[in-house]
C-alpha cells in the first residue's frame, strides 16, 4: 500500500499508510472473505483514506505528481532474484542436470 500512496501523494505516503492501517484495524470485523480478498479490502480502505486526504487538503490527484522513488522497489527486486547460494544451473532452470553421471 505504501507504493499506492507514494505514487499519488509522495509527501504524505507514510502518514497515509499509518492512517490506513489504523482504520483497517478498527474496521477488521467488517471484512467478509466471501465478498473478496483481504488485499482488495485493504486497498479499498487505502482508497478511502486517500479520498479523505484529498478532501482535507484540496489536492488535485489528476495533476502529475513529482517523481517519487518507491522504497520498496529495491526490496521487490531482491526478493524476485534467485538466491546467490543456488547452483548456476538452478538459476537458469528449475531442474538441474545430473553431475558427472550421478
Amino acid at each position: 500500500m505504501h507504493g499506492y500512496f507514494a505514487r499519488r501523494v509522495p509527501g504524505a505516503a507514510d502518514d497515509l499508510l499509518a492512517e490506513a492501517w489504523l482504520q483497517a484495524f478498527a474496521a477488521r470485523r467488517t471484512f467478509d472473505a466471501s465478498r473478496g480478498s483481504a488485499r482488495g479490502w485493504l486497498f479499498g480502505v487505502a482508497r478511502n483514506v486517500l479520498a479523505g486526504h484529498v478532501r482535507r487538503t484540496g489536492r488535485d490527484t489528476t495533476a502529475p505528481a513529482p517523481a517519487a522513488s518507491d522504497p520498496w522497489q529495491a526490496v521487490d527486486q531482491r526478493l524476485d532474484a534467485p538466491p546467490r547460494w543456488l547452483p548456476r544451473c538452478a538459476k537458469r532452470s528449475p531442474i538441474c542436470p545430473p553431475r558427472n553421471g550421478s
Side-chain angles (χ1 to χ4, degrees):
M1 287 190 316
H2 188 273
Y4 174 81
F5 289 126
R7 283 186 288 280
R8 287 159 180 81
V9 192
D14 293 337
D15 293 334
L16 293 175
L17 179 64
E19 181 62 29
W21 280 114
L22 287 172
Q23 286 188 18
F25 184 78
R28 66 191 181 277
R29 296 187 194 284
T30 65
F31 172 69
D32 182 5
S34 67
R35 294 181 60 199
S37 69
R39 185 177 191 268
W41 181 78
L42 284 170
F43 274 94
V45 172
R47 183 190 67 234
N48 292 335
V49 167
L50 180 61
H53 174 75
V54 169
R55 277 192 302 273
R56 284 189 308 277
T57 62
R59 184 183 184 286
D60 181 15
T61 58
T62 59
S69 63
D70 187 358
W72 294 104
Q73 186 175 10
V75 174
D76 289 340
Q77 289 172 349
R78 286 197 324 257
L79 290 174
D80 291 339
R84 286 183 240 174
W85 52 265
L86 280 178
R88 286 185 192 202
C89 63
K91 291 179 184 178
R92 291 189 307 266
S93 168
I95 301 172
C96 286
R99 290 184 169 192
N100 302 335
S102 328

